[in-house]
Amino acid sequence: MARNGIIGAGSMLVDHVQRISHWPEQGWLTEIHHSEKCSGGAALNVLFTLARMQVNLPLAAVGMVGEDSDGEYIVQRLDEHHIDRQFVQQTRLSSTAMTQVMTAPDGQRTFFHARGANAQLDLAHFAAVVTPHRIFHLGYLLLLDSLDVPDDDYGTRSARLLAQMQQRGYLTSLDLVSRAGEYRPLVLPALRWLDYLVINELEAQSLTGVQLRTAQGLAAPEAFAAAAAWLMQQGVRQRVVIHAPEGAWGQQTNGEGRWQPAWCLTPEEIVGSVGAGDAFCAGVLYASHEGWSLTETLKLAHTCASFNLHAANALDGTRPLAEMQRWMDQAICVSRAEEAGRMTSAEKT
């Protein structure tokens, strides 16, 4: 069977995004300048980003929402984006998951999250998921209570789920949520059942124990390479990508590894960073689905994240793939011209 398309499974929620004047000290007040709501969570952010990119791939969702206004909002958004929602279930037992997102003027955001119906998503909800899609993407691990529990045979129930999806013929992908504390036992069992792992530098550092920044706080590409290699050794079959604001390291099973700097944006261009990691992940998944090289995959992922940063919510910055590719080509030309200028200046001195 020729497989085609991407399934996004796991966290589905509504982000209530508040743009605030500043982050206050405890007990003090800050003003909200603007409020809006948007769908959020790994599954929806990746799927809606891909839909808005107009990549012409079949897309499907698997998840749980409540029988409430936020749940209806998510269902309507799935229909608007023409995403198959036959595996999205609504429950009366819990409300739809939600997050209050506080976005400061510099684009940094803080999350207050209620897990809601996502906590009920379990193995039984995936029993009927047998489709011709190629990639099965699960996120966010560490926020899916019923899957984040031990399993006698696989280590965790999420590992069992990913193993089942591989056995059904899917390429599997995983993303985590950035969370404090020791969570290696909840994540490591899943790695041997993955084809793709796309995580940020905070998550990679917690998993591997590798210090990814220098004492001055700078990203250290050689440390990213070591962390990615360690994660590959745990069983990831095709690609590990670790991303940070400055750039990303990609590692493949054939031994190829590469550090790709992020595109430079001015502070004025950055409106918010909600969903930037998911937009990056969407770029990796699409490029991997289409068989792009590692270098081109990382460039597209950075481009998806850059466009995301131009909006306060997780989606409004996304543009069609053709438009983003044109922008990316121009950015590459500018980068090459700047590099040539630096080399010329160095030769003169």
mmCIF file of all heavy atoms in Angstrom, residues 225-276:
data_model
loop_
_atom_site.group_PDB
_atom_site.id
_atom_site.type_symbol
_atom_site.label_atom_id
_atom_site.label_comp_id
_atom_site.label_asym_id
_atom_site.label_seq_id
_atom_site.Cartn_x
_atom_site.Cartn_y
_atom_site.Cartn_z
ATOM 1 N N ALA A 225 25.416 17.909 18.908
ATOM 2 C CA ALA A 225 25.749 16.703 18.148
ATOM 3 C C ALA A 225 25.883 15.492 19.067
ATOM 4 O O ALA A 225 25.395 14.398 18.760
ATOM 5 C CB ALA A 225 27.042 16.918 17.367
ATOM 6 N N ALA A 226 26.534 15.679 20.214
ATOM 7 C CA ALA A 226 26.707 14.582 21.164
ATOM 8 C C ALA A 226 25.364 14.117 21.717
ATOM 9 O O ALA A 226 25.109 12.911 21.854
ATOM 10 C CB ALA A 226 27.634 15.015 22.292
ATOM 11 N N ALA A 227 24.497 15.075 22.036
ATOM 12 C CA ALA A 227 23.175 14.714 22.555
ATOM 13 C C ALA A 227 22.358 13.976 21.511
ATOM 14 O O ALA A 227 21.699 12.967 21.812
ATOM 15 C CB ALA A 227 22.439 15.975 23.014
ATOM 16 N N ALA A 228 22.388 14.452 20.270
ATOM 17 C CA ALA A 228 21.636 13.788 19.198
ATOM 18 C C ALA A 228 22.153 12.386 18.956
ATOM 19 O O ALA A 228 21.374 11.450 18.742
ATOM 20 C CB ALA A 228 21.717 14.622 17.924
ATOM 21 N N ALA A 229 23.482 12.218 18.986
ATOM 22 C CA ALA A 229 24.062 10.892 18.787
ATOM 23 C C ALA A 229 23.619 9.939 19.891
ATOM 24 O O ALA A 229 23.304 8.765 19.634
ATOM 25 C CB ALA A 229 25.591 10.995 18.745
ATOM 26 N N TRP A 230 23.572 10.431 21.129
ATOM 27 C CA TRP A 230 23.124 9.592 22.247
ATOM 28 C C TRP A 230 21.669 9.160 22.059
ATOM 29 O O TRP A 230 21.313 7.997 22.289
ATOM 30 C CB TRP A 230 23.290 10.354 23.555
ATOM 31 C CG TRP A 230 23.023 9.527 24.775
ATOM 32 C CD1 TRP A 230 23.913 8.775 25.480
ATOM 33 C CD2 TRP A 230 21.749 9.353 25.440
ATOM 34 N NE1 TRP A 230 23.297 8.149 26.535
ATOM 35 C CE2 TRP A 230 21.965 8.483 26.528
ATOM 36 C CE3 TRP A 230 20.474 9.840 25.210
ATOM 37 C CZ2 TRP A 230 20.940 8.100 27.387
ATOM 38 C CZ3 TRP A 230 19.444 9.463 26.069
ATOM 39 C CH2 TRP A 230 19.681 8.605 27.140
ATOM 40 N N LEU A 231 20.830 10.088 21.612
ATOM 41 C CA LEU A 231 19.420 9.765 21.397
ATOM 42 C C LEU A 231 19.260 8.750 20.258
ATOM 43 O O LEU A 231 18.416 7.847 20.342
ATOM 44 C CB LEU A 231 18.637 11.044 21.103
ATOM 45 C CG LEU A 231 18.507 12.003 22.292
ATOM 46 C CD1 LEU A 231 18.043 13.377 21.834
ATOM 47 C CD2 LEU A 231 17.545 11.435 23.340
ATOM 48 N N MET A 232 20.066 8.881 19.214
ATOM 49 C CA MET A 232 20.025 7.897 18.145
ATOM 50 C C MET A 232 20.406 6.512 18.668
ATOM 51 O O MET A 232 19.812 5.496 18.288
ATOM 52 C CB MET A 232 20.966 8.300 17.010
ATOM 53 C CG MET A 232 20.591 9.562 16.265
ATOM 54 S SD MET A 232 19.092 9.427 15.256
ATOM 55 C CE MET A 232 19.629 8.335 13.965
ATOM 56 N N GLN A 233 21.369 6.468 19.561
ATOM 57 C CA GLN A 233 21.812 5.194 20.121
ATOM 58 C C GLN A 233 20.727 4.513 20.951
ATOM 59 O O GLN A 233 20.759 3.288 21.142
ATOM 60 C CB GLN A 233 23.060 5.413 20.981
ATOM 61 C CG GLN A 233 24.292 5.790 20.192
ATOM 62 C CD GLN A 233 25.435 6.272 21.074
ATOM 63 O OE1 GLN A 233 25.338 6.253 22.315
ATOM 64 N NE2 GLN A 233 26.519 6.723 20.459
ATOM 65 N N GLN A 234 19.768 5.291 21.427
ATOM 66 C CA GLN A 234 18.662 4.709 22.198
ATOM 67 C C GLN A 234 17.625 4.055 21.296
ATOM 68 O O GLN A 234 16.685 3.438 21.806
ATOM 69 C CB GLN A 234 17.999 5.771 23.070
ATOM 70 C CG GLN A 234 18.953 6.566 23.935
ATOM 71 C CD GLN A 234 19.936 5.693 24.681
ATOM 72 O OE1 GLN A 234 19.546 4.787 25.430
ATOM 73 N NE2 GLN A 234 21.221 5.945 24.474
ATOM 74 N N GLY A 235 17.775 4.195 19.977
ATOM 75 C CA GLY A 235 16.915 3.440 19.085
ATOM 76 C C GLY A 235 16.161 4.217 18.034
ATOM 77 O O GLY A 235 15.449 3.611 17.219
ATOM 78 N N VAL A 236 16.248 5.556 18.010
ATOM 79 C CA VAL A 236 15.535 6.327 16.983
ATOM 80 C C VAL A 236 16.049 5.898 15.609
ATOM 81 O O VAL A 236 17.257 5.876 15.362
ATOM 82 C CB VAL A 236 15.722 7.839 17.187
ATOM 83 C CG1 VAL A 236 14.943 8.613 16.121
ATOM 84 C CG2 VAL A 236 15.255 8.246 18.588
ATOM 85 N N ARG A 237 15.145 5.603 14.692
ATOM 86 C CA ARG A 237 15.528 4.898 13.474
ATOM 87 C C ARG A 237 16.000 5.787 12.333
ATOM 88 O O ARG A 237 16.790 5.343 11.495
ATOM 89 C CB ARG A 237 14.344 4.053 12.984
ATOM 90 C CG ARG A 237 13.904 3.008 13.991
ATOM 91 C CD ARG A 237 12.841 2.087 13.426
ATOM 92 N NE ARG A 237 12.411 1.116 14.426
ATOM 93 C CZ ARG A 237 11.633 0.070 14.160
ATOM 94 N NH1 ARG A 237 11.195 -0.122 12.924
ATOM 95 N NH2 ARG A 237 11.283 -0.763 15.120
ATOM 96 N N GLN A 238 15.494 7.032 12.246
ATOM 97 C CA GLN A 238 15.837 7.825 11.073
ATOM 98 C C GLN A 238 16.453 9.177 11.405
ATOM 99 O O GLN A 238 17.572 9.457 10.981
ATOM 100 C CB GLN A 238 14.589 8.013 10.187
ATOM 101 C CG GLN A 238 14.070 6.696 9.622
ATOM 102 C CD GLN A 238 13.167 6.914 8.422
ATOM 103 O OE1 GLN A 238 13.428 7.762 7.581
ATOM 104 N NE2 GLN A 238 12.098 6.144 8.332
ATOM 105 N N ARG A 239 15.744 10.038 12.134
ATOM 106 C CA ARG A 239 16.241 11.387 12.368
ATOM 107 C C ARG A 239 15.974 11.847 13.796
ATOM 108 O O ARG A 239 14.886 11.627 14.331
ATOM 109 C CB ARG A 239 15.573 12.384 11.414
ATOM 110 C CG ARG A 239 16.082 12.332 9.982
ATOM 111 C CD ARG A 239 15.330 13.302 9.087
ATOM 112 N NE ARG A 239 16.040 13.474 7.816
ATOM 113 C CZ ARG A 239 15.585 14.193 6.802
ATOM 114 N NH1 ARG A 239 14.424 14.834 6.900
ATOM 115 N NH2 ARG A 239 16.295 14.308 5.691
ATOM 116 N N VAL A 240 16.978 12.507 14.362
ATOM 117 C CA VAL A 240 16.822 13.266 15.600
ATOM 118 C C VAL A 240 17.116 14.724 15.276
ATOM 119 O O VAL A 240 18.140 15.022 14.646
ATOM 120 C CB VAL A 240 17.775 12.780 16.705
ATOM 121 C CG1 VAL A 240 17.790 13.756 17.881
ATOM 122 C CG2 VAL A 240 17.381 11.389 17.190
ATOM 123 N N VAL A 241 16.223 15.613 15.684
ATOM 124 C CA VAL A 241 16.435 17.046 15.487
ATOM 125 C C VAL A 241 16.258 17.737 16.829
ATOM 126 O O VAL A 241 15.234 17.565 17.498
ATOM 127 C CB VAL A 241 15.455 17.638 14.455
ATOM 128 C CG1 VAL A 241 15.691 19.134 14.316
ATOM 129 C CG2 VAL A 241 15.612 16.947 13.103
ATOM 130 N N ILE A 242 17.283 18.498 17.222
ATOM 131 C CA ILE A 242 17.244 19.288 18.455
ATOM 132 C C ILE A 242 17.308 20.756 18.049
ATOM 133 O O ILE A 242 18.276 21.186 17.420
ATOM 134 C CB ILE A 242 18.422 18.956 19.378
ATOM 135 C CG1 ILE A 242 18.439 17.450 19.705
ATOM 136 C CG2 ILE A 242 18.342 19.776 20.666
ATOM 137 C CD1 ILE A 242 19.690 17.014 20.469
ATOM 138 N N HIS A 243 16.279 21.516 18.412
ATOM 139 C CA HIS A 243 16.219 22.906 17.977
ATOM 140 C C HIS A 243 16.301 23.862 19.160
ATOM 141 O O HIS A 243 15.911 23.542 20.286
ATOM 142 C CB HIS A 243 14.952 23.178 17.153
ATOM 143 C CG HIS A 243 13.674 22.881 17.868
ATOM 144 N ND1 HIS A 243 13.005 23.814 18.630
ATOM 145 C CD2 HIS A 243 12.912 21.750 17.927
ATOM 146 C CE1 HIS A 243 11.897 23.287 19.120
ATOM 147 N NE2 HIS A 243 11.813 22.027 18.715
ATOM 148 N N ALA A 244 16.831 25.045 18.867
ATOM 149 C CA ALA A 244 16.984 26.119 19.837
ATOM 150 C C ALA A 244 16.764 27.434 19.095
ATOM 151 O O ALA A 244 16.722 27.448 17.861
ATOM 152 C CB ALA A 244 18.381 26.073 20.453
ATOM 153 N N PRO A 245 16.604 28.551 19.811
ATOM 154 C CA PRO A 245 16.403 29.826 19.104
ATOM 155 C C PRO A 245 17.527 30.157 18.122
ATOM 156 O O PRO A 245 17.284 30.770 17.085
ATOM 157 C CB PRO A 245 16.340 30.841 20.251
ATOM 158 C CG PRO A 245 15.816 30.060 21.416
ATOM 159 C CD PRO A 245 16.422 28.696 21.263
ATOM 160 N N GLU A 246 18.772 29.726 18.425
ATOM 161 C CA GLU A 246 19.901 30.085 17.564
ATOM 162 C C GLU A 246 20.050 29.171 16.352
ATOM 163 O O GLU A 246 20.679 29.554 15.357
ATOM 164 C CB GLU A 246 21.214 30.033 18.357
ATOM 165 C CG GLU A 246 21.226 30.931 19.566
ATOM 166 C CD GLU A 246 20.815 30.199 20.833
ATOM 167 O OE1 GLU A 246 19.961 29.272 20.750
ATOM 168 O OE2 GLU A 246 21.336 30.538 21.907
ATOM 169 N N GLY A 247 19.536 27.959 16.435
ATOM 170 C CA GLY A 247 19.727 27.020 15.343
ATOM 171 C C GLY A 247 19.274 25.629 15.746
ATOM 172 O O GLY A 247 18.673 25.432 16.807
ATOM 173 N N ALA A 248 19.578 24.643 14.901
ATOM 174 C CA ALA A 248 19.146 23.270 15.168
ATOM 175 C C ALA A 248 20.209 22.294 14.681
ATOM 176 O O ALA A 248 20.879 22.533 13.669
ATOM 177 C CB ALA A 248 17.818 22.981 14.481
ATOM 178 N N TRP A 249 20.325 21.204 15.413
ATOM 179 C CA TRP A 249 21.190 20.098 14.977
ATOM 180 C C TRP A 249 20.298 18.956 14.495
ATOM 181 O O TRP A 249 19.366 18.549 15.185
ATOM 182 C CB TRP A 249 22.080 19.600 16.112
ATOM 183 C CG TRP A 249 23.018 18.518 15.628
ATOM 184 C CD1 TRP A 249 22.770 17.178 15.556
ATOM 185 C CD2 TRP A 249 24.330 18.704 15.086
ATOM 186 N NE1 TRP A 249 23.842 16.520 15.013
ATOM 187 C CE2 TRP A 249 24.812 17.426 14.716
ATOM 188 C CE3 TRP A 249 25.134 19.820 14.895
ATOM 189 C CZ2 TRP A 249 26.080 17.239 14.160
ATOM 190 C CZ3 TRP A 249 26.399 19.635 14.341
ATOM 191 C CH2 TRP A 249 26.857 18.358 13.981
ATOM 192 N N GLY A 250 20.591 18.469 13.308
ATOM 193 C CA GLY A 250 19.912 17.301 12.768
ATOM 194 C C GLY A 250 20.887 16.155 12.639
ATOM 195 O O GLY A 250 22.040 16.341 12.238
ATOM 196 N N GLN A 251 20.435 14.956 13.003
ATOM 197 C CA GLN A 251 21.276 13.762 12.930
ATOM 198 C C GLN A 251 20.492 12.646 12.255
ATOM 199 O O GLN A 251 19.308 12.437 12.557
ATOM 200 C CB GLN A 251 21.697 13.320 14.337
ATOM 201 C CG GLN A 251 22.699 12.186 14.369
ATOM 202 C CD GLN A 251 24.082 12.629 13.930
ATOM 203 O OE1 GLN A 251 24.536 13.691 14.336
ATOM 204 N NE2 GLN A 251 24.754 11.839 13.103
ATOM 205 N N GLN A 252 21.135 11.936 11.350
ATOM 206 C CA GLN A 252 20.499 10.829 10.646
ATOM 207 C C GLN A 252 21.227 9.522 10.941
ATOM 208 O O GLN A 252 22.391 9.521 11.347
ATOM 209 C CB GLN A 252 20.488 11.081 9.132
ATOM 210 C CG GLN A 252 19.714 12.316 8.743
ATOM 211 C CD GLN A 252 19.461 12.426 7.248
ATOM 212 O OE1 GLN A 252 18.444 12.963 6.847
ATOM 213 N NE2 GLN A 252 20.379 11.950 6.414
ATOM 214 N N THR A 253 20.545 8.416 10.692
ATOM 215 C CA THR A 253 21.127 7.114 10.989
ATOM 216 C C THR A 253 22.301 6.788 10.081
ATOM 217 O O THR A 253 23.118 5.944 10.423
ATOM 218 C CB THR A 253 20.062 6.008 10.851
ATOM 219 O OG1 THR A 253 19.379 6.158 9.599
ATOM 220 C CG2 THR A 253 19.049 6.083 11.960
ATOM 221 N N ASN A 254 22.394 7.437 8.928
ATOM 222 C CA ASN A 254 23.531 7.184 8.038
ATOM 223 C C ASN A 254 24.796 7.893 8.497
ATOM 224 O O ASN A 254 25.827 7.855 7.821
ATOM 225 C CB ASN A 254 23.196 7.584 6.602
ATOM 226 C CG ASN A 254 22.942 9.093 6.454
ATOM 227 O OD1 ASN A 254 23.098 9.853 7.399
ATOM 228 N ND2 ASN A 254 22.535 9.508 5.270
ATOM 229 N N GLY A 255 24.718 8.549 9.641
ATOM 230 C CA GLY A 255 25.877 9.239 10.186
ATOM 231 C C GLY A 255 25.936 10.710 9.876
ATOM 232 O O GLY A 255 26.753 11.442 10.458
ATOM 233 N N GLU A 256 25.105 11.181 8.951
ATOM 234 C CA GLU A 256 25.130 12.590 8.605
ATOM 235 C C GLU A 256 24.567 13.426 9.751
ATOM 236 O O GLU A 256 23.517 13.124 10.318
ATOM 237 C CB GLU A 256 24.308 12.867 7.345
ATOM 238 C CG GLU A 256 24.313 14.341 6.938
ATOM 239 C CD GLU A 256 23.398 14.633 5.758
ATOM 240 O OE1 GLU A 256 22.766 13.702 5.239
ATOM 241 O OE2 GLU A 256 23.330 15.820 5.356
ATOM 242 N N GLY A 257 25.282 14.489 10.094
ATOM 243 C CA GLY A 257 24.813 15.426 11.098
ATOM 244 C C GLY A 257 25.117 16.838 10.650
ATOM 245 O O GLY A 257 26.101 17.081 9.938
ATOM 246 N N ARG A 258 24.269 17.777 11.064
ATOM 247 C CA ARG A 258 24.469 19.156 10.604
ATOM 248 C C ARG A 258 23.877 20.144 11.588
ATOM 249 O O ARG A 258 22.782 19.927 12.131
ATOM 250 C CB ARG A 258 23.812 19.348 9.237
ATOM 251 C CG ARG A 258 23.909 20.791 8.725
ATOM 252 C CD ARG A 258 23.333 20.966 7.352
ATOM 253 N NE ARG A 258 23.380 22.361 6.939
ATOM 254 C CZ ARG A 258 24.439 22.982 6.448
ATOM 255 N NH1 ARG A 258 25.557 22.312 6.300
ATOM 256 N NH2 ARG A 258 24.400 24.253 6.098
ATOM 257 N N TRP A 259 24.609 21.235 11.819
ATOM 258 C CA TRP A 259 24.092 22.387 12.546
ATOM 259 C C TRP A 259 23.613 23.414 11.531
ATOM 260 O O TRP A 259 24.367 23.819 10.646
ATOM 261 C CB TRP A 259 25.159 22.996 13.435
ATOM 262 C CG TRP A 259 24.757 24.299 14.069
ATOM 263 C CD1 TRP A 259 25.077 25.562 13.646
ATOM 264 C CD2 TRP A 259 23.935 24.480 15.236
ATOM 265 N NE1 TRP A 259 24.524 26.509 14.476
ATOM 266 C CE2 TRP A 259 23.820 25.874 15.461
ATOM 267 C CE3 TRP A 259 23.307 23.591 16.106
ATOM 268 C CZ2 TRP A 259 23.090 26.390 16.522
ATOM 269 C CZ3 TRP A 259 22.581 24.110 17.166
ATOM 270 C CH2 TRP A 259 22.476 25.481 17.382
ATOM 271 N N GLN A 260 22.348 23.810 11.633
ATOM 272 C CA GLN A 260 21.786 24.804 10.721
ATOM 273 C C GLN A 260 21.350 26.011 11.536
ATOM 274 O O GLN A 260 20.422 25.927 12.350
ATOM 275 C CB GLN A 260 20.595 24.234 9.959
ATOM 276 C CG GLN A 260 19.963 25.200 8.976
ATOM 277 C CD GLN A 260 20.918 25.590 7.860
ATOM 278 O OE1 GLN A 260 21.616 24.740 7.315
ATOM 279 N NE2 GLN A 260 20.954 26.866 7.519
ATOM 280 N N PRO A 261 22.013 27.165 11.360
ATOM 281 C CA PRO A 261 21.603 28.357 12.111
ATOM 282 C C PRO A 261 20.175 28.765 11.762
ATOM 283 O O PRO A 261 19.705 28.559 10.639
ATOM 284 C CB PRO A 261 22.608 29.424 11.656
ATOM 285 C CG PRO A 261 23.765 28.662 11.102
ATOM 286 C CD PRO A 261 23.182 27.416 10.508
ATOM 287 N N ALA A 262 19.493 29.350 12.726
ATOM 288 C CA ALA A 262 18.157 29.887 12.484
ATOM 289 C C ALA A 262 18.264 31.183 11.706
ATOM 290 O O ALA A 262 19.307 31.843 11.698
ATOM 291 C CB ALA A 262 17.437 30.123 13.810
ATOM 292 N N TRP A 263 17.169 31.554 11.037
ATOM 293 C CA TRP A 263 17.128 32.831 10.335
ATOM 294 C C TRP A 263 17.085 33.958 11.352
ATOM 295 O O TRP A 263 16.415 33.860 12.383
ATOM 296 C CB TRP A 263 15.900 32.906 9.427
ATOM 297 C CG TRP A 263 15.771 31.757 8.485
ATOM 298 C CD1 TRP A 263 14.751 30.861 8.425
ATOM 299 C CD2 TRP A 263 16.695 31.373 7.451
ATOM 300 N NE1 TRP A 263 14.973 29.940 7.430
ATOM 301 C CE2 TRP A 263 16.166 30.225 6.815
ATOM 302 C CE3 TRP A 263 17.920 31.868 7.012
ATOM 303 C CZ2 TRP A 263 16.812 29.585 5.761
ATOM 304 C CZ3 TRP A 263 18.569 31.230 5.964
ATOM 305 C CH2 TRP A 263 18.014 30.117 5.359
ATOM 306 N N CYS A 264 17.783 35.037 11.061
ATOM 307 C CA CYS A 264 17.846 36.168 11.992
ATOM 308 C C CYS A 264 16.612 37.062 11.835
ATOM 309 O O CYS A 264 16.273 37.469 10.727
ATOM 310 C CB CYS A 264 19.107 36.990 11.751
ATOM 311 S SG CYS A 264 20.625 36.108 12.154
ATOM 312 N N LEU A 265 15.959 37.345 12.953
ATOM 313 C CA LEU A 265 14.845 38.279 12.984
ATOM 314 C C LEU A 265 15.180 39.393 13.970
ATOM 315 O O LEU A 265 15.850 39.174 14.970
ATOM 316 C CB LEU A 265 13.556 37.581 13.429
ATOM 317 C CG LEU A 265 13.030 36.443 12.544
ATOM 318 C CD1 LEU A 265 11.776 35.842 13.174
ATOM 319 C CD2 LEU A 265 12.734 36.931 11.144
ATOM 320 N N THR A 266 14.704 40.585 13.675
ATOM 321 C CA THR A 266 14.875 41.685 14.619
ATOM 322 C C THR A 266 13.855 41.549 15.738
ATOM 323 O O THR A 266 12.795 40.922 15.559
ATOM 324 C CB THR A 266 14.673 43.039 13.922
ATOM 325 O OG1 THR A 266 13.305 43.131 13.487
ATOM 326 C CG2 THR A 266 15.595 43.176 12.716
ATOM 327 N N PRO A 267 14.137 42.124 16.903
ATOM 328 C CA PRO A 267 13.155 42.053 18.000
ATOM 329 C C PRO A 267 11.786 42.603 17.608
ATOM 330 O O PRO A 267 10.757 42.127 18.089
ATOM 331 C CB PRO A 267 13.815 42.884 19.099
ATOM 332 C CG PRO A 267 15.282 42.801 18.815
ATOM 333 C CD PRO A 267 15.391 42.761 17.327
ATOM 334 N N GLU A 268 11.777 43.599 16.732
ATOM 335 C CA GLU A 268 10.508 44.206 16.312
ATOM 336 C C GLU A 268 9.663 43.246 15.489
ATOM 337 O O GLU A 268 8.436 43.376 15.424
ATOM 338 C CB GLU A 268 10.779 45.482 15.515
ATOM 339 C CG GLU A 268 11.405 46.624 16.301
ATOM 340 C CD GLU A 268 12.873 46.396 16.600
ATOM 341 O OE1 GLU A 268 13.516 45.611 15.851
ATOM 342 O OE2 GLU A 268 13.375 46.977 17.576
ATOM 343 N N GLU A 269 10.299 42.286 14.828
ATOM 344 C CA GLU A 269 9.571 41.336 13.988
ATOM 345 C C GLU A 269 8.897 40.237 14.805
ATOM 346 O O GLU A 269 7.985 39.577 14.322
ATOM 347 C CB GLU A 269 10.529 40.692 12.976
ATOM 348 C CG GLU A 269 11.062 41.627 11.925
ATOM 349 C CD GLU A 269 12.024 40.921 10.993
ATOM 350 O OE1 GLU A 269 13.186 40.683 11.399
ATOM 351 O OE2 GLU A 269 11.617 40.599 9.853
ATOM 352 N N ILE A 270 9.352 40.015 16.018
ATOM 353 C CA ILE A 270 8.848 38.907 16.836
ATOM 354 C C ILE A 270 7.651 39.378 17.646
ATOM 355 O O ILE A 270 7.769 40.202 18.556
ATOM 356 C CB ILE A 270 9.950 38.366 17.760
ATOM 357 C CG1 ILE A 270 11.134 37.858 16.928
ATOM 358 C CG2 ILE A 270 9.391 37.247 18.637
ATOM 359 C CD1 ILE A 270 12.319 37.418 17.750
ATOM 360 N N VAL A 271 6.477 38.833 17.315
ATOM 361 C CA VAL A 271 5.249 39.184 18.023
ATOM 362 C C VAL A 271 4.995 38.211 19.165
ATOM 363 O O VAL A 271 4.571 38.585 20.253
ATOM 364 C CB VAL A 271 4.056 39.211 17.049
ATOM 365 C CG1 VAL A 271 2.755 39.517 17.794
ATOM 366 C CG2 VAL A 271 4.298 40.231 15.952
ATOM 367 N N GLY A 272 5.215 36.928 18.927
ATOM 368 C CA GLY A 272 5.010 35.901 19.944
ATOM 369 C C GLY A 272 5.656 34.611 19.506
ATOM 370 O O GLY A 272 5.968 34.424 18.327
ATOM 371 N N SER A 273 5.859 33.702 20.460
ATOM 372 C CA SER A 273 6.515 32.436 20.135
ATOM 373 C C SER A 273 5.649 31.229 20.465
ATOM 374 O O SER A 273 6.141 30.099 20.506
ATOM 375 C CB SER A 273 7.855 32.336 20.875
ATOM 376 O OG SER A 273 7.682 32.518 22.269
ATOM 377 N N VAL A 274 4.353 31.428 20.677
ATOM 378 C CA VAL A 274 3.450 30.313 20.948
ATOM 379 C C VAL A 274 3.401 29.397 19.729
ATOM 380 O O VAL A 274 3.104 29.836 18.618
ATOM 381 C CB VAL A 274 2.027 30.820 21.273
ATOM 382 C CG1 VAL A 274 1.076 29.636 21.452
ATOM 383 C CG2 VAL A 274 2.051 31.671 22.515
ATOM 384 N N GLY A 275 3.730 28.131 19.919
ATOM 385 C CA GLY A 275 3.645 27.171 18.832
ATOM 386 C C GLY A 275 4.820 27.173 17.879
ATOM 387 O O GLY A 275 4.796 26.453 16.866
ATOM 388 N N ALA A 276 5.873 27.944 18.182
ATOM 389 C CA ALA A 276 7.018 27.996 17.271
ATOM 390 C C ALA A 276 7.676 26.626 17.148
ATOM 391 O O ALA A 276 8.105 26.227 16.057
ATOM 392 C CB ALA A 276 8.030 29.036 17.750
#
